[in-house]
Amino acid sequence: MLDKTFETPKPKVIAGAKHDWELVIGLEVHAQVTSKAKLFSGASTQFGAEPNSNVAFVDAGMPGMLPVINEECVAQAVRTGLGLKAQINTFSAFDRKNYFYPDLPQGYQISQLYHPIVGEGEVFVELGDGTARLVRIERIHLEQDAGKSVHDMDPNNSFVDLNRTGVALMEIVSRPDIRGPEEAAAYVTKLRQIMQYLGTCDGNMQNGSLRADVNVSVCRPGDYEKYQATQDFSHLGTRCEIKNMNSMRFMQAAIDFEAHRQIAILEDGGEVTQETRLYDADKNETRSMRSKEEAHDYRYFPCPDLLPLEIEQEWINDLAAQLPELPDAKKYRFINEFGLSNYDANVLTAETQNASYFEKVAQGRDGKVAANWVINELFGRMKKDDVTIANCPVTPDQLGGVIDLIASGEISGKIAKDLFEIVYTEGGNPAEIVESRGMKQVTDTGAIEAAVDQIIADNPAQVEKAKQNPKLAGWFVGQVIKATGGKANPQVVNQIVAAKLAL
Amino acid sequence: MSIDTKTAGRVAKLARIKVEEADLPALAQEFTNILGFIEQLNEVDVEGVEPMTSVTPQRLYCRNDAVTDGDQQAAVLANAPDAREGFFAVPMVVE
């Protein structure tokens, strides 16, 4: 199973004008739950529909409408919690978070402040350099998403679409265990991967299915270790929250900017004010969301429309028993079962469809060879055409067929690449293509001898040179393989050339 | 516990309810009276008593994950003072 004897990454250090500083980052990831209907209504969650067409009167905040919880959304939150090895709470409850905004017609968001459905868990985050960090999860709670405002359709008005209003969100809150922008991106990537495996969130950042609020503070080297020893936050700096990051690249740029901003304030003798900030990608800066500050008193109270959510341990056990294999487990199985390198196993398990494609190819074949073909030839070719595994023109059986023909010695590695290209562009059964197009490797010594004789006869000067310098035999081997259209078995050619030249 | 006019004004603002300056003292007094009643309730010893969430012994009712509602754009927008191209049109709100 998972090897947790890993080396942790070094925290990112930023040199200020006066001292060195370290970053401390915690994330609140908002993941849209994959479900057909909304958290508390029967309206569809489908993205990209006509504005206000996926809206029930509950979502529109019409008077007298009552929320009724969607059981599948609860199950999805439980699955996510199980995937993060977290405590699942059999008792949780909903609270109202009160604020006014045009895309929130109820005037409050139904959330879970006091009794979240999922408690403490953990995420194993690997960095590219072989280090890894175990990021602690504080909690996951279920809540309603807000609607969407469009600001560029009219100079004087904002246009509001409530299709997203009431779609279930999981807010996944981490502890401040993340120590640099790259780590933050790796953490979100890993969370997304786990949820995609679980089928609980599609992870599409562009469509807003996954957004992150990033809490950033800076401290002097040594202070974080004091926090770790005591869990006392007073050792850490004052944090600012950057809202609504929906791109890994911008998230990293925003963290970097925000850290430098805080360092400049502190080195100037000032104090960082705890506040909510927005990142402006065009200007690459964060700025205060002053409007949010005044309304920051959310006056939470238990939602009187909803009884507490009580779930049975037996139901949780059933969901646990049906969980798919998760990324870490799959990766270690690939390493152990197929002998893959850590790198190859990471590439192949990044997405669950890729992993299952590879497994079909590797079934009954050499795992490393299969991995090479899938990663280098197939993924390389797909990347060139901007194709994903879902619409890849080569089936695992076809690719396996190509690999089998190399293994049986029927085609050379070089011909195999040509064959792959034919299968990729034209389709067909690899063995039949080899047969019908005469691509079989020539191991018939007679044919090869004839070709060698011909080359020797045509190039007397090269023959003389080769007799002085035996390394030039390679030139003859190349000529013979070329003359046979790449079909001659190189080993056989080598032997015959050496014999004929009497080297 | 006594609520001053400043706090009463803040509560009104957070609830987006317009209260004239002259009416704030009366509102503050009303809040103070309500809190006084709550404080009276606080005197009851509830040590070891689970908070009651329902007067009848029932569990939270759940729905299945099926689309049973929506597809009623006109009805949803019917009460909007201003709606255009399927959207609610509201005064510009930009961060």
Side-chain angles (χ1 to χ4, degrees), chain A residues 35-46 53-62 65-73 106 110 143-145 162-168 306, chain B residues 61-72 76:
Chain A
S35 65
K36 296 188 192 82
K38 294 183 180 182
L39 181 55
F40 294 116
S41 88
S44 167
T45 59
Q46 206 197 352
S53 62
N54 292 340
V55 181
F57 292 139
V58 192
D59 311 318
M62 295 289 178
M65 303 307 297
L66 289 172
V68 181
I69 196 164
N70 180 338
E71 189 170 34
E72 174 62 9
C73 295
Q106 286 173 150
I110 303 178
E143 62 185 24
Q144 297 174 300
D145 206 345
L162 300 182
N163 280 348
R164 202 177 66 181
T165 306
V167 171
L306 291 158
Chain B
Y61 179 78
C62 292
R63 72 164 75 235
N64 288 327
D65 184 29
V67 176
T68 56
D69 208 338
D71 201 13
Q72 46 174 355
V76 165

Side-chain angles (χ1 to χ4, degrees), chain A residues 37 51-53 69 151 160 294, chain B residues 13 63 65 71 73 86 88 93:
Chain A
N52 293 305
S53 62
I69 196 164
H151 305 296
V160 179
E294 197 175 345
Chain B
K13 189 174 182 206
R63 72 164 75 235
D65 184 29
D71 201 13
Q73 190 195 58
F88 291 92
V93 270

Side-chain angles (χ1 to χ4, degrees), chain A residues 234-395:
Chain A
S234 69
H235 295 295
L236 303 180
T238 304
R239 66 192 152 89
C240 287
E241 181 181 10
I242 315 167
K243 278 275 178 203
N244 247 334
M245 304 303 312
N246 62 355
S247 133
M248 300 282 190
R249 191 162 64 88
F250 290 155
M251 181 174 75
Q252 296 182 64
I255 292 170
D256 204 54
F257 173 87
E258 180 57 22
H260 281 94
R261 187 189 71 87
Q262 293 180 13
I263 290 167
I265 292 173
L266 293 168
E267 292 201 337
D268 237 23
E271 272 182 37
V272 174
T273 322
Q274 186 174 340
E275 62 181 354
T276 308
R277 300 179 68 86
L278 260 192
Y279 176 69
D280 182 332
D282 295 331
K283 295 185 183 147
N284 185 30
E285 61 174 34
T286 63
R287 53 171 187 266
S288 182
M289 282 175 83
R290 285 191 189 82
S291 61
K292 279 260 173 187
E293 294 316 302
E294 197 175 345
H296 233 38
D297 184 347
Y298 291 127
R299 295 151 295 143
Y300 279 98
F301 63 89
C303 183
D305 288 342
L306 291 158
L307 288 166
L309 175 59
E310 291 168 85
I311 56 178
E312 308 292 339
Q313 187 59 47
E314 209 174 301
W315 185 62
I316 299 169
N317 296 346
D318 280 353
L319 292 173
Q322 288 162 31
L323 285 192
E325 185 179 37
L326 289 170
D328 288 338
K330 197 182 282 293
K331 180 184 145 182
Y332 285 90
R333 187 167 60 78
F334 279 12
I335 291 172
N336 294 329
E337 228 173 77
F338 299 114
L340 303 192
S341 67
N342 192 59
Y343 177 84
D344 284 355
N346 271 331
V347 172
L348 290 169
T349 56
E351 283 173 45
T352 165
Q353 296 94 327
N354 290 355
S356 75
Y357 187 102
F358 162 74
E359 262 197 276
K360 284 180 200 142
V361 176
Q363 202 61 52
R365 301 188 176 94
D366 182 315
K368 278 187 197 166
V369 172
N372 273 334
W373 273 89
V374 171
I375 294 172
N376 298 324
E377 301 306 323
L378 182 72
F379 289 175
R381 187 69 179 78
M382 282 164 44
K383 201 172 175 185
K384 219 162 107 188
D385 281 3
D386 203 16
V387 162
T388 62
I389 204 83
N391 42 24
C392 170
V394 180
T395 66

